[in-house]
Amino acid sequence: MSGGRRLTLLRHGETTPSGLIGQHDAALSPLGLRQLQQRWAALDAVEPIRAVATSDLARCRDFATAVAQQNALPCTIDTAFREFDCGPLNGRRADGLDDADARTYRHWQADPTKALPGGEDWATFTGRIDAGLQRWLAATADGHHVLVTHAGVIKALLLHWLGLPPSRHGQFWPGHAASVSVCWDPAYPPVVLSMSMAAPC
């Protein structure tokens, strides 16, 4: 895999408020910023980071654009890397849903191929992420690339790369500032290099 490069998926840090569902646009908390800074330093120490891409939502974008500017790195902002669209459940806490919505959400968690009412279906979700990733990587040079994104995006890519059904998404649970690094080569399936799923602090 001579044409391979290191690609890291990096989840955003803790937000204020925390624990909201889907495509809410909450900002990072002070702890969330520290979590990302700590993980970024560790990732850069393994192999210097050469390019950044990010979801356009604030909890990803604010850190990604700031760190890219500080380090004179190219930074791509793309809606393709947004979290799963949960329709009317976006921005709500799972523990605050009424009985009917809570049942719907539990059923979706068990089988995300059944789209939430007014939300995105899993095939569309995975397709937009993969298209965005292919587009970004095709336009960049070699070296360590970091995508600052969301837990659902990381899960969807892992399932896609490993050939697992969407119902297995619960086996991956990225904490705040979790990271997954792979060797990316367009001619081969991605090779998992490391996974750090717990929050660094």
Short mmCIF file of all heavy atoms in Angstrom, two decimals, residues 6 11 18 28 40 55 57-58 63 67 71-72 80 92 109 115 117-118 124-125 145 155 166 185-186:
data_model
loop_
_atom_site.label_atom_id
_atom_site.label_comp_id
_atom_site.label_asym_id
_atom_site.label_seq_id
_atom_site.Cartn_x
_atom_site.Cartn_y
_atom_site.Cartn_z
N ARG A 6 -2.15 8.29 6.47
CA ARG A 6 -2.86 8.14 7.73
C ARG A 6 -4.07 9.06 7.74
O ARG A 6 -3.96 10.26 7.50
CB ARG A 6 -1.93 8.47 8.91
CG ARG A 6 -2.49 8.08 10.27
CD ARG A 6 -1.50 8.41 11.38
NE ARG A 6 -1.91 7.81 12.64
CZ ARG A 6 -1.52 6.62 13.08
NH1 ARG A 6 -0.68 5.90 12.36
NH2 ARG A 6 -1.95 6.15 14.24
N ARG A 11 -13.68 12.69 17.01
CA ARG A 11 -14.99 13.18 17.47
C ARG A 11 -14.81 14.51 18.23
O ARG A 11 -13.78 14.73 18.87
CB ARG A 11 -15.66 12.17 18.40
CG ARG A 11 -17.11 12.57 18.72
CD ARG A 11 -17.72 11.76 19.83
NE ARG A 11 -19.05 12.30 20.14
CZ ARG A 11 -19.69 12.07 21.26
NH1 ARG A 11 -19.14 11.33 22.22
NH2 ARG A 11 -20.88 12.60 21.46
N SER A 18 -24.84 19.41 26.98
CA SER A 18 -24.35 18.13 26.50
C SER A 18 -25.49 17.14 26.33
O SER A 18 -26.59 17.35 26.85
CB SER A 18 -23.31 17.57 27.46
OG SER A 18 -23.89 17.32 28.73
N LEU A 28 -18.72 23.90 21.96
CA LEU A 28 -17.89 23.15 22.89
C LEU A 28 -17.92 23.79 24.27
O LEU A 28 -17.95 25.01 24.40
CB LEU A 28 -16.44 23.12 22.41
CG LEU A 28 -16.11 22.27 21.18
CD1 LEU A 28 -14.68 22.55 20.74
CD2 LEU A 28 -16.31 20.79 21.48
N TRP A 40 -5.52 16.14 20.00
CA TRP A 40 -4.80 16.65 18.82
C TRP A 40 -3.30 16.54 19.03
O TRP A 40 -2.57 16.10 18.13
CB TRP A 40 -5.21 18.09 18.57
CG TRP A 40 -4.50 18.72 17.40
CD1 TRP A 40 -3.27 19.31 17.41
CD2 TRP A 40 -4.97 18.79 16.06
NE1 TRP A 40 -2.94 19.77 16.15
CE2 TRP A 40 -3.97 19.46 15.30
CE3 TRP A 40 -6.13 18.39 15.42
CZ2 TRP A 40 -4.10 19.71 13.94
CZ3 TRP A 40 -6.27 18.64 14.06
CH2 TRP A 40 -5.26 19.29 13.33
N SER A 55 -16.96 18.84 9.98
CA SER A 55 -18.38 19.15 9.91
C SER A 55 -18.55 20.67 10.05
O SER A 55 -17.74 21.34 10.68
CB SER A 55 -19.11 18.44 11.05
OG SER A 55 -20.37 19.01 11.32
N LEU A 57 -20.89 22.02 11.75
CA LEU A 57 -21.53 22.33 13.02
C LEU A 57 -20.49 22.83 14.02
O LEU A 57 -19.35 22.37 14.05
CB LEU A 57 -22.26 21.09 13.56
CG LEU A 57 -23.42 20.61 12.67
CD1 LEU A 57 -24.03 19.33 13.23
CD2 LEU A 57 -24.48 21.69 12.51
N ALA A 58 -20.90 23.76 14.88
CA ALA A 58 -19.96 24.53 15.71
C ALA A 58 -19.07 23.66 16.59
O ALA A 58 -17.90 23.98 16.79
CB ALA A 58 -20.74 25.52 16.59
N PHE A 63 -13.26 24.33 16.66
CA PHE A 63 -11.93 23.82 16.99
C PHE A 63 -11.11 23.60 15.73
O PHE A 63 -9.93 24.00 15.66
CB PHE A 63 -12.02 22.51 17.77
CG PHE A 63 -10.69 21.85 17.97
CD1 PHE A 63 -9.82 22.32 18.95
CD2 PHE A 63 -10.28 20.80 17.17
CE1 PHE A 63 -8.57 21.74 19.13
CE2 PHE A 63 -9.04 20.21 17.34
CZ PHE A 63 -8.18 20.67 18.33
N VAL A 67 -7.51 25.45 15.04
CA VAL A 67 -6.25 24.71 15.08
C VAL A 67 -5.58 24.71 13.71
O VAL A 67 -4.35 24.73 13.60
CB VAL A 67 -6.46 23.29 15.63
CG1 VAL A 67 -7.08 22.35 14.60
CG2 VAL A 67 -5.16 22.70 16.16
N ASN A 71 -1.80 26.36 12.94
CA ASN A 71 -0.73 25.52 12.40
C ASN A 71 -0.56 25.65 10.89
O ASN A 71 0.16 24.87 10.28
CB ASN A 71 -1.02 24.06 12.76
CG ASN A 71 -0.92 23.80 14.25
OD1 ASN A 71 0.15 23.64 14.79
ND2 ASN A 71 -2.08 23.80 14.92
N ALA A 72 -1.21 26.67 10.29
CA ALA A 72 -1.11 26.93 8.85
C ALA A 72 -1.44 25.68 8.03
O ALA A 72 -0.72 25.31 7.09
CB ALA A 72 0.28 27.45 8.50
N ALA A 80 -21.25 17.42 4.46
CA ALA A 80 -21.26 15.95 4.33
C ALA A 80 -20.85 15.27 5.62
O ALA A 80 -21.21 14.11 5.85
CB ALA A 80 -20.34 15.51 3.19
N ARG A 92 -32.68 17.48 21.03
CA ARG A 92 -33.36 17.06 22.26
C ARG A 92 -32.50 16.03 23.00
O ARG A 92 -31.67 15.35 22.39
CB ARG A 92 -34.74 16.47 21.92
CG ARG A 92 -35.65 17.51 21.25
CD ARG A 92 -36.96 16.89 20.80
NE ARG A 92 -37.75 16.39 21.91
CZ ARG A 92 -38.90 15.71 21.74
NH1 ARG A 92 -39.35 15.46 20.52
NH2 ARG A 92 -39.57 15.28 22.79
N GLN A 109 -32.44 3.00 17.44
CA GLN A 109 -31.14 2.57 17.93
C GLN A 109 -30.92 1.08 17.66
O GLN A 109 -29.80 0.65 17.34
CB GLN A 109 -31.01 2.84 19.45
CG GLN A 109 -30.87 4.30 19.81
CD GLN A 109 -29.46 4.82 19.62
OE1 GLN A 109 -28.55 4.09 19.27
NE2 GLN A 109 -29.27 6.11 19.84
N ALA A 115 -35.72 4.62 9.21
CA ALA A 115 -35.48 6.05 9.43
C ALA A 115 -36.42 6.61 10.49
O ALA A 115 -37.59 6.21 10.59
CB ALA A 115 -35.66 6.82 8.13
N PRO A 117 -38.95 9.33 11.89
CA PRO A 117 -39.89 10.19 11.18
C PRO A 117 -39.31 11.58 10.93
O PRO A 117 -38.85 12.25 11.86
CB PRO A 117 -41.09 10.25 12.14
CG PRO A 117 -41.01 8.99 12.93
CD PRO A 117 -39.55 8.73 13.11
N GLY A 118 -39.27 11.99 9.66
CA GLY A 118 -38.73 13.29 9.31
C GLY A 118 -37.23 13.36 9.30
O GLY A 118 -36.65 14.43 9.07
N THR A 124 -28.58 6.92 3.06
CA THR A 124 -28.28 8.30 2.65
C THR A 124 -27.19 8.89 3.52
O THR A 124 -26.27 9.57 3.04
CB THR A 124 -29.55 9.16 2.74
OG1 THR A 124 -30.55 8.61 1.86
CG2 THR A 124 -29.28 10.60 2.33
N PHE A 125 -27.28 8.65 4.83
CA PHE A 125 -26.29 9.12 5.79
C PHE A 125 -24.89 8.61 5.42
O PHE A 125 -23.94 9.39 5.25
CB PHE A 125 -26.69 8.63 7.18
CG PHE A 125 -25.76 8.98 8.30
CD1 PHE A 125 -25.30 10.26 8.50
CD2 PHE A 125 -25.36 7.98 9.20
CE1 PHE A 125 -24.46 10.58 9.56
CE2 PHE A 125 -24.53 8.28 10.26
CZ PHE A 125 -24.07 9.57 10.44
N HIS A 145 -4.05 13.11 7.76
CA HIS A 145 -5.26 13.92 7.61
C HIS A 145 -6.20 13.64 8.78
O HIS A 145 -6.36 12.49 9.18
CB HIS A 145 -5.99 13.57 6.31
CG HIS A 145 -5.28 14.06 5.08
ND1 HIS A 145 -3.95 13.85 4.84
CD2 HIS A 145 -5.75 14.76 4.01
CE1 HIS A 145 -3.62 14.39 3.68
NE2 HIS A 145 -4.70 14.95 3.16
N LYS A 155 -19.09 5.94 13.58
CA LYS A 155 -19.73 4.62 13.57
C LYS A 155 -20.07 4.19 12.13
O LYS A 155 -19.81 3.05 11.74
CB LYS A 155 -21.02 4.66 14.39
CG LYS A 155 -20.82 4.80 15.89
CD LYS A 155 -22.21 4.79 16.54
CE LYS A 155 -22.14 4.92 18.03
NZ LYS A 155 -23.47 4.76 18.65
N PRO A 166 -25.86 -1.95 9.82
CA PRO A 166 -26.13 -0.81 10.70
C PRO A 166 -26.56 -1.21 12.11
O PRO A 166 -26.29 -0.47 13.07
CB PRO A 166 -27.23 -0.05 9.97
CG PRO A 166 -27.05 -0.40 8.54
CD PRO A 166 -26.58 -1.82 8.53
N ASP A 185 -5.90 4.05 1.53
CA ASP A 185 -5.40 3.89 0.17
C ASP A 185 -6.62 3.62 -0.70
O ASP A 185 -7.36 2.68 -0.45
CB ASP A 185 -4.42 2.71 0.11
CG ASP A 185 -3.72 2.60 -1.25
OD1 ASP A 185 -4.37 2.88 -2.28
OD2 ASP A 185 -2.54 2.23 -1.27
N PRO A 186 -6.85 4.45 -1.72
CA PRO A 186 -8.06 4.26 -2.53
C PRO A 186 -8.14 2.90 -3.23
O PRO A 186 -9.22 2.49 -3.66
CB PRO A 186 -8.00 5.41 -3.54
CG PRO A 186 -6.61 5.91 -3.51
CD PRO A 186 -6.07 5.62 -2.15
#
